[in-house]
C-alpha cells in the first residue's frame, strides 16, 4: 500500500513539473515584456503614444524574421525542445518563437526610447568609424564561414544593413544605438541563456553544430549577439522613420529621425 502511495506521489509530482516546464518559453516572453509594457504608460515616458509607429515596424520586421526562422527550422539549422513548449504551432514554429519577435523588440525599443532621453546629446555623431570596423569584421567572418548557414547569413546580412544605415541613411543616432545595445546585452544574455539551456536540464532552442561557429558565451552562441542586433536595428530604423511621419503634435517623444 505504502509503495503504491509513494508511486502515485512521484507520478503526481512529475506531472506537475512537466506541466510547468511546458510554459518555460512562454514565461520567458511574458517576463521580458511585462515591465516595459506597464511602464509604457508612465507620464514621463509615454511610450504608448508611439505605438502607431512601433506596431507597423515590429509586424514588418517580424514577418521577415519569422520567414527566416521557418526556413532555417526546415533546414535543421536550429530547432525547439517540445518539453518547454505549449504545443501550439504557427507553421513549423512554436507559437512562443513567433511571440519572441514581438516581445524582445518591444522591450528593446522601449529601452531605447527611455535611454534616448539621457544619451541623445552625448553620443550623437556622424563619426562612423566604429560602424566601418564592425562592417569589415562582419564581412570577414561571414565570408570565412560561408559553409555555415547561421554564421554567414547573420554576419553578411547585418553588414549589408549597417552599410545601408551608414552610407545611404547616414543615421546620426547609430552610435547611440550601439551604446544602448551594449546596455541591453545584460538582459539579452539572461533571456538567451535560459533559451539555450542555462539553468535547465536541456536547451529550449537547439542549434546544429555544423551551421554555426560553435563558439558560445556561456550557453549563448556568439552569432546570437549579432542576430539580436539586426532584429532590433531593423525595428528601430522603421520605427523612427514612422515617428517622423506622424503628426508631432500628437506624440510626446524626443526622437526625430536624424536628431
Amino acid at each position: 500500500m505504502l509503495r503504491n502511495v509513494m508511486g502515485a506521489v512521484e507520478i503526481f509530482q512529475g506531472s506537475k513539473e512537466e506541466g510547468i516546464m511546458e510554459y518555460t518559453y512562454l514565461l520567458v516572453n511574458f517576463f521580458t515584456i511585462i515591465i516595459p509594457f506597464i511602464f509604457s504608460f508612465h507620464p514621463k515616458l509615454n511610450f504608448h503614444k508611439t505605438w502607431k509607429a512601433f506596431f507597423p515596424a515590429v509586424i514588418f520586421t517580424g514577418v521577415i524574421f519569422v520567414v527566416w526562422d521557418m526556413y532555417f527550422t526546415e533546414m535543421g539549422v536550429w530547432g525547439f525542445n517540445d518539453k518547454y513548449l505549449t504545443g501550439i504551432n504557427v507553421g513549423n514554429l512554436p507559437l512562443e518563437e513567433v511571440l519572441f519577435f514581438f516581445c524582445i523588440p518591444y522591450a528593446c525599443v522601449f529601452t531605447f526610447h527611455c535611454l534616448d532621453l539621457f544619451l541623445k546629446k552625448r553620443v550623437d555623431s556622424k563619426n562612423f568609424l566604429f560602424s566601418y570596423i564592425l562592417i569589415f569584421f562582419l564581412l570577414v567572418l561571414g565570408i570565412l564561414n560561408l559553409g555555415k548557414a547561421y554564421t554567414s547569413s547573420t554576419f553578411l546580412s547585418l553588414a549589408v544593413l549597417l552599410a545601408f544605415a551608414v552610407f545611404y541613411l547616414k543615421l546620426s543616432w547609430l552610435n547611440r544605438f550601439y551604446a544602448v545595445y551594449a546596455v541591453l546585452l545584460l538582459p539579452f544574455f539572461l533571456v538567451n541563456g535560459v533559451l539555450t539551456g542555462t539553468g535547465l536540464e536541456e536547451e529550449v532552442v537547439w542549434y546544429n553544430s555544423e551551421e554555426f561557429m560553435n563558439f558560445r558565451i556561456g550557453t549563448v552562441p556568439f552569432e546570437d549577439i549579432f542576430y539580436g542586433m539586426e532584429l532590433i536595428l531593423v525595428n528601430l530604423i522603421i520605427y523612427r522613420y514612422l515617428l517622423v511621419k506622424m503628426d508631432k503634435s500628437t506624440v510626446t517623444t524626443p526622437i526625430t529621425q536624424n536628431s
Side-chain angles (χ1 to χ4, degrees):
M1 175 69 70
L2 179 61
R3 183 182 304 170
N4 291 337
V5 171
M6 293 300 294
V9 170
E10 290 176 0
I11 292 172
F12 174 76
Q13 289 177 338
S15 300
K16 186 176 180 180
E17 289 177 1
E18 289 176 4
I20 295 173
M21 295 301 286
E22 71 182 17
Y23 294 104
T24 299
Y25 197 171
L26 195 63
L27 288 172
V28 168
N29 285 325
F30 174 77
F31 286 116
T32 297
I33 198 173
I34 186 60
I35 299 301
F37 178 77
I38 292 172
F39 278 91
S40 294
F41 302 93
H42 192 286
K44 291 185 178 180
L45 300 175
N46 286 318
F47 182 65
H48 71 286
K49 292 185 177 181
T50 74
W51 281 359
K52 289 183 179 179
F54 172 76
F55 283 112
V58 77
I59 291 170
F60 180 83
T61 306
V63 168
I64 294 173
F65 275 80
V66 165
V67 170
W68 181 359
D69 202 341
M70 286 180 169
Y71 179 61
F72 271 20
T73 300
E74 186 66 26
M75 287 177 59
V77 174
W78 53 52
F80 309 93
N81 189 337
D82 291 340
K83 180 177 180 179
Y84 301 107
L85 305 172
T86 58
I88 303 171
N89 292 328
V90 178
N92 64 347
L93 296 181
L95 173 64
E96 295 88 340
E97 178 76 353
V98 175
L99 292 175
F100 176 92
F101 295 109
F102 170 79
C103 295
I104 299 301
Y106 190 98
C108 292
V109 174
F110 169 80
T111 303
F112 187 95
H113 174 84
C114 297
L115 294 181
D116 191 63
L117 296 170
F118 304 99
L119 294 174
K120 183 176 180 180
K121 294 181 179 179
R122 300 180 184 180
V123 295
D124 255 19
S125 172
K126 288 195 176 181
N127 181 345
F128 295 123
L129 178 60
F130 182 77
S131 294
Y132 298 149
I133 295 171
L134 185 55
I135 291 169
F136 177 76
F137 168 80
L138 292 167
L139 286 173
V140 170
L141 281 183
I143 292 171
L144 289 177
N145 291 277
L146 285 176
K148 303 179 187 300
Y150 185 30
T151 306
S152 60
S153 64
T154 299
F155 288 165
L156 293 178
S157 59
L158 180 54
V160 171
L161 176 64
L162 288 174
F164 177 71
V166 169
F167 297 110
Y168 182 76
L169 297 178
K170 296 180 172 57
L171 298 180
S172 63
W173 53 266
L174 202 52
N175 287 332
R176 207 187 321 164
F177 165 71
Y178 297 137
V180 173
Y181 191 70
V183 174
L184 289 170
L185 283 177
L186 177 59
F188 164 85
F189 278 111
L190 291 175
V191 171
N192 269 39
V194 172
L195 295 181
T196 53
T198 301
L200 299 176
E201 293 180 358
E202 304 170 26
E203 296 171 317
V204 179
V205 181
W206 57 261
Y207 294 80
N208 184 338
S209 60
E210 296 181 357
E211 302 294 354
F212 75 110
M213 294 189 299
N214 276 309
F215 173 68
R216 295 179 184 250
I217 301 175
T219 59
V220 178
F222 182 62
E223 289 87 345
D224 277 10
I225 298 172
F226 302 95
Y227 183 86
M229 178 183 287
E230 186 169 7
L231 173 64
I232 304 310
L233 184 55
V234 174
N235 271 282
L236 278 173
I237 289 173
I238 300 171
Y239 166 74
R240 291 168 62 86
Y241 172 79
L242 292 176
L243 279 181
V244 174
K245 298 298 182 183
M246 292 170 59
D247 183 357
K248 295 180 181 179
S249 66
T250 64
V251 181
T252 305
T253 174
I255 299 174
T256 58
Q257 175 68 9
N258 285 305
S259 62

